[in-house]
């Protein structure tokens, strides 16, 4: 019934406790309270995917989850995945294939792409597009992004990495 | 935009949740994938959100010989991953692939989708096609409502403000087919069809899922397509006229007809 609640969660491996208003979205909490501005805010109603985060191992929209709902959860952001080296293959491929477009969607794209990489399947290009369909924004095409994701998954499958 | 201010409670038991819902201005929060956008856009301004995701046993999938009972908090991702659902309620398994995108499927729930009753959503049409039973709890106990009596109008259901959708019972067996046309994978449907045996239920074709009564009675495809004109009067949207949607409904009917007549 409170209008401010105490929450404790683990963000990128670090335990944090804060008092938050229930109306605060998880992505606003991460950006404003913790200074983790890598997760972008685009549409704020679940359409663009720029705020994609990982909560307890599953990707979610940071703007469609309240910070209070993340109490007790393990949250990973683009900063955490980048610092741990988990994203290094995707980052390298995005760089090499120039898969950035305007760049605003990139953090969310990488989070969604890594989710697909972790599934350990051999997706077709159509299936890759399906998986990142929730991250389309104002640019079009996404060819280079699909190329980069395909490249990482193919390399992983061929070399049996990961 | 940011959501307006509201209070928040996360009850740990059903009686506690039902008690909280007696307060004026309270609203159930499940996966939040439709409610939170409406809060962000300030289309709704509840005073208290009752987060039911902590209620135990609400995401169980129990199958018996004739029905599969799926807890209201079962997420789209859990439905997608369930071998039991794929085998026993294939229509639901086919529909879930069209529900939004992976990040949304990880949080959005079966109960939330049915309770919202978006006319463009997949599950209400599946529930109506399969003649599912919706299980609802209130302070007075439990009641069961047939899908055909549950969907009342645009975003309007039989669910009262102090009730909670607990589970859905889907009958098993029978042939089914699911088709949806959308501009982009995961977008809301232009028009869609959930078909089970001879029941053809269209979505985004009216304020609620629409059972095509006349078409469902016909024995030949041509007659069924003709009968569709009597069954449907789909509202136009930004991109498609009513006539276009009616034409597309016929296209989906033909696809479903061919699928059903060639499957076991």
């Amino acid at each position: 019934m409170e209008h401010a609640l105490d929450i404790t969660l683990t963000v990128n491996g670090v335990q944090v406790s804060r008092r938050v208003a229930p109306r605060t979205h998880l992505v606003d909490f991460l950006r404003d309270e913790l200074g983790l501005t890598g997760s972008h805010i685009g549409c704020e109603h679940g359409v663009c995917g720029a705020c994609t985060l990982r909560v307890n191992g599953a990707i979610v929209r940071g703007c469609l989850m309240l910070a209070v709902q993340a109490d007790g959860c393990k949250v990973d952001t683009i900063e955490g995945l980048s610092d741990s080296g988990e994203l290094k293959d995707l980052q390298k491929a995005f760089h090499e294939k120039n898969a950035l477009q305007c760049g605003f969607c990139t953090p969310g794209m990488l989070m969604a792409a890594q989710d697909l990489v972790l599934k350990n399947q051999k997706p077709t290009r159509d299936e890759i597009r399906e998986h990142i369909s929730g991250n389309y924004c104002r640019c079009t095409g996404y060819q280079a992004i699909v190329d980069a994701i395909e490249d990482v998954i193919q390399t992983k499958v061929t070399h049996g990495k990961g | 935009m940011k959501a307006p201010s509201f209070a928040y409670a996360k009850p740990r038991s059903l009686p506690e949740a039902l008690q909280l819902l007696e307060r004026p201005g309270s609203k159930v929060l499940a996966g939040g994938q439709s409610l939170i956008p409406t809060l962000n856009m300030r289309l709704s301004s509840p005073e208290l959100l009752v987060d039911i995701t902590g209620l135990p046993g609400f995401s169980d999938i129990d199958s018996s010989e004739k029905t599969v009972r799926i807890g209201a908090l079962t997420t789209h991702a859990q439905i997608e991953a369930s071998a039991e659902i794929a085998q026993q309620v294939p229509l639901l398994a086919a529909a879930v692939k069209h529900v939004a995108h992976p990040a949304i499927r990880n949080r959005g729930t079966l109960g939330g989708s049915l309770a919202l009753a978006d006319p463009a959503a997949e599950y209400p049409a599946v529930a109506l096609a399969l003649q599912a039973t919706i299980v609802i709890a209130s302070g007075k106990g439990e009641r069961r409502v047939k899908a055909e009596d549950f969907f009342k109008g645009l975003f309007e259901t039989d669910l009262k403000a102090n009730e909670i959708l607990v589970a859905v019972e889907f009958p098993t067996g029978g042939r089914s087919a699911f088709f949806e046309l959308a501009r982009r994978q995961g977008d809301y449907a232009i028009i869609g069809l959930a078909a089970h045996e001879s029941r053809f239920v269209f979505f985004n074709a009216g304020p609620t899922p629409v059972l095509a009564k006349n078409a469902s009675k016909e024995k030949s495809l041509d007659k069924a397509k003709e009968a569709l004109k009597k069954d449907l009067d789909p509202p136009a949207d930004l991109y498609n006229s009513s006539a276009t949607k009616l034409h597309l409904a016929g296209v989906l009917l033909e696809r479903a007809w061919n699928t059903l007549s060639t499957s076991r």
Side-chain angles (χ1 to χ4, degrees):
Chain A
M1 228 68 52
E2 299 291 326
H3 279 270
L5 291 112
D6 293 315
I7 58 168
T8 299
L9 59 161
T10 305
V11 180
N12 299 329
V14 180
Q15 197 177 28
V16 291
S17 296
R18 289 287 192 284
R19 196 168 182 81
V20 294
R23 67 189 285 249
T24 309
H25 302 134
L26 182 53
V27 67
D28 279 339
F29 171 78
L30 295 167
R31 289 174 59 89
D32 299 343
E33 276 291 323
L34 306 184
L36 297 170
T37 52
S39 311
H40 288 171
I41 297 178
C43 69
E44 290 196 307
H45 62 282
V47 176
C48 76
C51 61
T52 305
L53 305 164
R54 212 157 66 183
V55 175
N56 293 340
I59 54 168
V60 305
R61 299 280 205 240
C63 72
L64 296 190
M65 186 166 174
L66 305 171
V68 289
Q69 292 180 294
D71 186 28
C73 292
K74 185 177 171 293
V75 176
D76 295 300
T77 70
I78 186 74
E79 288 92 344
L81 267 63
S82 183
D83 289 352
S84 72
E86 185 181 334
L87 286 181
K88 72 175 169 15
D89 293 344
L90 276 171
Q91 285 168 319
K92 184 163 174 278
F94 267 59
H95 180 197
E96 282 171 3
K97 306 273 181 196
N98 195 21
L100 296 176
Q101 308 208 155
C102 92
F104 192 80
C105 71
T106 308
M109 276 291 181
L110 287 168
M111 296 298 281
Q114 178 63 6
D115 185 56
L116 187 60
V117 170
L118 289 176
K119 286 190 192 302
N120 261 323
Q121 291 158 350
K122 248 179 107 177
T124 62
R125 285 182 72 87
D126 278 350
E127 285 163 349
I128 293 172
R129 281 191 177 276
E130 212 170 286
H131 200 81
I132 60 168
S133 64
N135 294 73
Y136 294 162
C137 185
R138 290 292 293 271
C139 303
T140 62
Y142 305 97
Q143 296 286 355
I145 294 177
V146 177
D147 289 347
I149 298 171
E150 191 180 32
D151 198 52
V152 169
I153 291 174
Q154 269 177 1
T155 311
K156 194 176 155 194
V157 171
T158 318
H159 299 291
K161 285 199 300 182
Chain B
M1 275 178 73
K2 311 294 181 195
S5 185
F6 49 80
Y8 171 91
K10 192 172 181 180
R12 294 289 164 185
S13 73
L14 183 59
E16 196 192 333
L18 290 167
Q19 214 165 26
L20 286 164
L21 284 178
E22 294 295 340
R23 290 165 187 260
S26 61
K27 203 166 177 58
V28 172
L29 169 67
Q33 302 302 286
S34 298
L35 176 57
I36 296 182
T38 69
L39 294 174
N40 291 358
M41 292 189 279
R42 304 217 168 187
L43 296 170
S44 106
S45 50
E47 283 167 37
L48 167 67
L49 285 190
V50 180
D51 183 350
I52 61 167
T53 57
L55 299 186
F58 269 55
S59 22
D60 294 348
I61 301 171
D62 299 309
S63 54
S64 64
E65 207 178 310
K66 287 186 180 147
T67 59
V68 176
R69 180 186 161 112
I70 307 177
L73 290 177
T74 308
T75 63
H76 310 310
Q78 286 166 335
I79 289 173
E80 199 178 4
S82 164
E84 245 169 318
I85 293 175
Q87 198 184 3
Q88 296 187 277
V89 199
L91 185 60
L92 186 63
V96 73
K97 296 190 192 317
H98 296 270
V99 178
H101 313 287
I104 289 173
R105 291 208 285 265
N106 282 334
R107 285 196 66 80
T109 65
L110 171 70
S113 173
L114 292 170
L116 180 69
D118 189 312
E122 290 81 3
Y123 294 161
V126 169
L128 186 58
L130 291 174
Q131 298 177 282
T133 303
I134 321 275
V135 185
I136 296 167
S138 74
K140 290 181 205 149
E142 216 173 75
R143 67 187 181 101
R144 303 156 63 77
V145 182
K146 286 184 189 153
E148 61 189 88
D149 301 322
F150 184 75
F151 302 104
K152 300 278 191 195
L154 191 66
F155 294 104
E156 194 191 337
T157 69
D158 195 45
L159 205 60
K160 313 279 186 302
N162 61 353
E163 292 182 319
I164 293 177
L165 199 160
V166 174
V168 187
E169 289 173 2
F170 292 97
T172 59
R175 296 167 306 163
S176 60
F178 188 92
F179 291 97
E180 174 174 329
L181 295 171
R183 280 165 60 85
R184 181 181 70 163
Q185 165 68 33
D187 278 0
Y188 283 111
I190 297 165
I191 196 151
L193 168 61
H196 182 248
E197 293 297 330
S198 57
R199 282 170 73 85
F200 295 102
V201 176
F202 289 87
F203 54 99
N204 216 13
T208 62
V210 183
L211 171 67
K213 287 196 180 102
N214 293 296
S216 297
K217 276 183 215 147
E218 294 296 345
K219 298 283 175 241
S220 80
L221 173 61
D222 288 344
K223 280 187 180 160
K225 279 175 87 171
E226 190 58 31
L228 214 49
K229 291 175 192 159
K230 283 186 274 177
D231 289 322
L232 297 182
D233 183 16
D237 60 31
L238 282 175
Y239 306 104
N240 303 283
S241 67
S242 179
T244 302
K245 284 171 81 167
L246 187 59
H247 167 76
L248 294 174
V251 172
L252 296 190
L253 178 66
E254 184 163 344
R255 287 181 193 174
W257 192 282
N258 291 336
T259 303
L260 291 171
S261 57
T262 51
S263 63
R264 258 186 318 116

